[in-house]
């Protein structure tokens, strides 16, 4: 299908739509408005939870939907209501807590979406600077995991942080995913330091790609009528789903080699990607 027939555009936020300082360029904002004028559905697909989304997007920013927490939930931005969520069930969540504690890992466990700004944390015996830094940013909504590891609900996700090491990530991903058929592991580059990998554990049906696919089903938009833009490993499912996919110039080389490349996030990447839809 011709790119002119696109009905939905989905973009990552951090490192993609947002500039490095988390602001929105005038070029990207104008492009977002013009897409709306043409009746094209505008979706932000982000790893941020909704509380974190609202820290960088004011209500006036004209998105139509937010696929948040890497696809764990979907929020109708115009009508201010949640329309979808997918969490790890209680049994699998409890199993993973027990397993991570038995391995003495540093990890965070997040409350079910859409309230997944709240979290519990467990510190292993090995200090991790990045883990401590993450906790310092979220301690107002964090509690120590009970000693018995008991929780009374399912969870949105788990987060483990490891030093940058591709082989170690692959080993850990395999190790975790065999614990339960219900879950999957997603890699994300640390937004704080390039020296760490964030290992995110979700329900197996959670990814930005699944979230946008679900939204397309609700809105009767075909996959061939979609465009996607991202900059990191956790965007791969999204970019694999959208028919016309682009990555920013600041994406890791391994990601840039897979898709068409537009300028970096500080150079109106989003506006460049959608320009053919606006001419």
């Amino acid at each position: 299908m011709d790119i002119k027939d696109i009905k939905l555009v989905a973009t990552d936020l951090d490192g993609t739509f947002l500039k490095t300082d988390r602001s929105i360029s005038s070029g990207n904002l104008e492009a977002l408005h013009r897409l709306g004028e043409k009746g094209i559905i505008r979706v932000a697909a982000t790893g941020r939870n909704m509380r974190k989304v609202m820290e960088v997007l004011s209500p006036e920013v004209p998105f139509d939907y937010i696929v948040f927490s890497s696809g764990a939930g979907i929020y109708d931005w115009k009508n201010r209501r949640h329309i979808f969520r997918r969490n790890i069930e209680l049994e699998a969540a409890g199993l993973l807590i027990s397993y991570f504690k038995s391995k003495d890992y540093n990890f965070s466990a997040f409350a079910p979406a859409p309230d997944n700004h709240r979290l519990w944390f467990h510190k292993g015996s090995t200090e991790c600077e990045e883990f401590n830094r993450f906790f310092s940013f979220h301690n107002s909504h964090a509690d120590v995991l009970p000693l018995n590891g008991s929780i009374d609900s399912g969870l949105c996700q788990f987060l483990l942080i490891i030093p940058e090491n591709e082989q170690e990530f692959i080993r850990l991903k395999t190790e975790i995913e065999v614990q339960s058929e219900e879950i999957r592991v997603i890699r994300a580059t640390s937004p704080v330091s390039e020296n760490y990998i964030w290992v995110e554990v979700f329900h197996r049906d959670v990814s930005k790609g699944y979230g946008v696919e679900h939204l397309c089903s609700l809105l009767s938009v075909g996959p061939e009528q979609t465009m996607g833009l991202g900059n990191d490993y956790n965007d791969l499912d999204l970019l694999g789903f959208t028919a016309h996919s682009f990555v920013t110039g600041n994406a890791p080389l391994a990601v840039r080699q897979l898709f068409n490349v537009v300028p970096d996030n500080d150079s109106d990447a989003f506006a460049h990607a959608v320009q053919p839809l606006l001419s």
Side-chain angles (χ1 to χ4, degrees):
M1 180 172 288
D2 189 89
I3 198 168
K4 294 288 189 178
D5 297 317
I6 295 297
K7 292 186 176 181
L8 180 149
V9 173
T11 178
D12 172 50
L13 289 179
D14 293 276
T16 304
F17 182 78
L18 300 176
K19 296 170 65 175
T20 302
D21 64 4
R22 307 293 193 264
S23 66
I24 302 172
S25 72
S26 58
N28 283 353
L29 188 59
E30 179 186 359
L32 203 63
H33 278 288
R34 291 183 62 194
L35 288 173
E37 293 167 0
K38 289 183 171 290
I40 296 173
I41 299 163
R42 301 151 298 182
V43 181
T46 178
R48 288 175 175 260
N49 61 52
M50 280 308 302
R51 183 162 297 208
K52 290 293 184 181
V53 167
M54 292 176 183
E55 290 179 0
V56 295
L57 297 183
S58 67
E60 294 76 26
V61 177
F63 280 105
D64 298 299
Y65 298 92
I66 311 293
V67 173
F68 66 91
S69 297
S70 296
I74 301 175
Y75 186 72
D76 183 333
W77 186 247
K78 284 185 173 179
N79 297 302
R80 296 295 188 261
R81 63 189 182 96
H82 291 276
I83 60 174
F84 174 81
R85 68 200 68 181
R86 178 78 74 194
N87 295 298
I88 301 171
E89 298 294 334
L90 177 61
E91 182 177 354
L95 185 155
L96 287 169
I97 287 174
S98 297
Y99 181 73
F100 293 150
K101 289 188 68 177
S102 73
K103 301 290 284 188
D104 197 33
Y105 290 146
N106 296 297
F107 68 92
S108 298
F110 294 76
D115 298 317
N116 53 310
H117 59 280
R118 298 188 298 109
L119 62 100
W120 295 270
F121 67 94
H122 174 80
K123 286 192 174 184
S125 57
T126 302
E127 285 290 318
C128 174
E129 179 184 359
E130 178 87 345
F131 184 84
N132 293 336
R133 187 181 295 114
F134 174 86
F135 171 69
S136 71
F137 292 151
H138 297 82
N139 58 10
S140 61
H141 300 291
D143 292 305
V144 177
L145 188 72
L147 288 176
N148 62 4
S150 176
I151 55 172
D152 58 7
S153 69
L155 296 169
C156 175
Q157 72 176 100
F158 292 88
L159 171 66
L160 296 84
I161 299 175
I162 64 172
E164 172 64 49
N165 185 311
E166 178 69 16
Q167 287 69 40
E168 177 60 16
F169 168 74
I170 293 172
R171 185 200 67 77
L172 190 58
K173 173 180 170 68
T174 302
E175 171 193 314
I176 295 171
E177 289 185 339
V178 299
Q179 302 305 313
S180 171
E181 293 182 351
E182 186 180 325
I183 58 96
R184 71 195 299 258
V185 172
I186 299 174
R187 171 181 176 168
T189 300
S190 165
V192 180
S193 168
E194 62 183 15
N195 297 322
Y196 292 91
I197 294 173
W198 286 22
V199 182
E200 300 180 323
V201 184
F202 290 97
H203 187 280
R204 67 186 176 202
D205 292 335
V206 166
S207 74
K208 294 181 183 182
Y210 284 141
V212 172
E213 181 178 7
H214 183 78
L215 189 55
C216 285
S217 179
L218 291 176
L219 301 173
S220 299
V221 174
E224 72 280 2
Q225 297 172 307
T226 60
M227 174 186 286
L229 178 64
N231 81 304
D232 200 6
Y233 296 96
N234 64 347
D235 296 316
L236 292 178
D237 287 317
L238 167 65
L239 302 175
F241 170 75
T242 51
H244 301 271
S245 302
F246 301 86
V247 295
T248 60
N250 53 291
L253 176 60
V255 177
R256 296 201 308 270
Q257 291 174 333
L258 299 174
F259 302 98
N260 294 318
V261 180
V262 294
D264 65 46
N265 65 308
D266 288 320
S267 304
D268 293 343
F270 178 79
H272 278 83
V274 303
Q275 185 56 43
L277 308 180
L278 306 176
S279 58

